[in-house]
Amino acid sequence: GQNIDQPTEMTATEGAIVQINCTYQTSGFNGLFWYQQHAGEAPTFLSYNVLDGLEEKGRFSSFLSRSKGYSYLLLKELQMKDSASYLCAVRDGDNAGNMLTFGGGTRLMVKP
Amino acid sequence: SAVISQKPSRDICQRGTSLTIQCQVDSQVTMMFWYRQQPGQSLTLIATANQGSEATYESGFVIDKFPISRPNLTFSTLTVSNMSPEDSSIYLCSAQGIGSANTIYFGEGSWLTVV
């Protein structure tokens, strides 16, 4: 089975930095994804980690520690448009398919 | 990246009826999946759509309620059968592209309201 935990809500200020944490317990592991989902829209891909370390992509970075079952998404220079839900998802390496199991999502509110 | 089109994008359905959602990908993909996202919830996998064979369903989802087809590499359908208000949800098609092993993309979703 899979268990993926992330905070339900976070609030941050425009221009600041925010870190969204995700912990997971899975029977297998074949990669961790972060998605952004604005209200009323489908999730959009942000990042993918399969090896330990930090992946940087513009204002967004994602970190993975497989030994700790831990990842975080780091958002810098926050903008109002970053207000959205951020979904952590793990791909289970034990299954023949490559489906994702999602955490409950973290709703981020960016305030002026 | 793959572009995924779903239709209908939104519908209001009568209790007891069935609705088929179509998903078209603009390039050949290896895996296709159907997810459900109930109001205020995260995404839950319904099934993996297998080309030319029966879909693989997750626990809690059955073929009689959610029949799925995938006649080729770029197209799949999900039917929500004998709908009840509890089926009101967003249904999302997802695909993993050939040569893009690390990325899984989502369609824009089909918003169904059952009355």
Side-chain angles (χ1 to χ4, degrees):
Chain A
Q2 313 245 45
N3 189 30
I4 302 172
D5 292 314
Q6 47 182 133
T8 304
E9 286 188 357
M10 298 183 71
T11 302
T13 304
E14 190 176 15
I17 299 173
V18 70
Q19 177 175 311
I20 303 173
N21 296 324
C22 172
T23 59
Y24 63 90
Q25 294 174 314
T26 59
S27 55
F29 180 82
N30 193 14
L32 187 144
F33 296 74
W34 284 95
Y35 286 84
Q36 180 191 60
Q37 187 176 26
H38 285 100
E41 299 181 11
T44 56
F45 170 77
L46 288 180
S47 68
Y48 167 77
N49 295 70
V50 67
L51 300 176
D52 290 351
L54 188 68
E55 294 283 340
E56 297 187 77
K57 189 184 296 185
R59 292 191 298 117
F60 293 4
S61 303
S62 57
F63 171 83
L64 174 67
S65 169
R66 289 171 297 171
S67 62
K68 296 181 179 178
Y70 169 69
S71 172
Y72 67 72
L73 180 69
L74 192 71
L75 291 75
K76 303 176 184 176
E77 302 171 12
L78 280 172
Q79 302 175 9
M80 298 298 292
K81 67 178 182 179
D82 296 329
S83 293
S85 288
Y86 291 85
L87 305 171
C88 173
V90 173
R91 182 160 63 192
D92 187 341
D94 286 352
N95 289 324
N98 294 327
M99 68 206 190
L100 302 179
T101 301
F102 285 84
T106 299
R107 190 171 70 173
L108 174 66
M109 290 173 281
V110 179
K111 296 185 175 180
Chain B
S1 63
V3 175
I4 305 175
S5 303
Q6 277 185 241
K7 59 180 181 181
S9 58
R10 191 179 294 268
D11 207 342
I12 298 174
C13 308
Q14 295 295 318
R15 185 192 303 246
T17 64
S18 299
L19 182 78
T20 295
I21 303 167
Q22 298 181 3
C23 176
Q24 178 72 55
V25 189
D26 70 343
S27 57
Q28 289 191 342
V29 294
T30 54
M31 309 293 291
M32 292 184 75
F33 309 93
W34 287 97
Y35 286 85
R36 180 173 73 180
Q37 187 173 25
Q38 294 179 304
Q41 304 295 316
S42 190
L43 284 75
T44 301
L45 181 67
I46 298 172
T48 301
N50 300 309
Q51 185 197 358
S53 64
E54 188 173 294
T56 304
Y57 289 85
E58 297 301 302
S59 176
F61 298 96
V62 295
I63 188 171
D64 289 346
K65 176 66 175 177
F66 297 103
I68 288 171
S69 77
R70 188 180 174 191
N72 57 53
L73 285 174
T74 63
F75 184 77
S76 178
T77 67
L78 167 73
T79 299
V80 186
S81 303
N82 188 24
M83 285 186 282
S84 66
E86 291 72 33
D87 294 320
S88 297
S89 185
I90 305 169
Y91 293 86
L92 292 147
C93 175
S94 172
Q96 177 170 323
I98 295 173
S100 303
N102 300 334
T103 305
I104 297 177
Y105 300 95
F106 287 87
E108 294 183 347
S110 298
W111 296 62
L112 302 187
T113 302
V114 184
V115 298

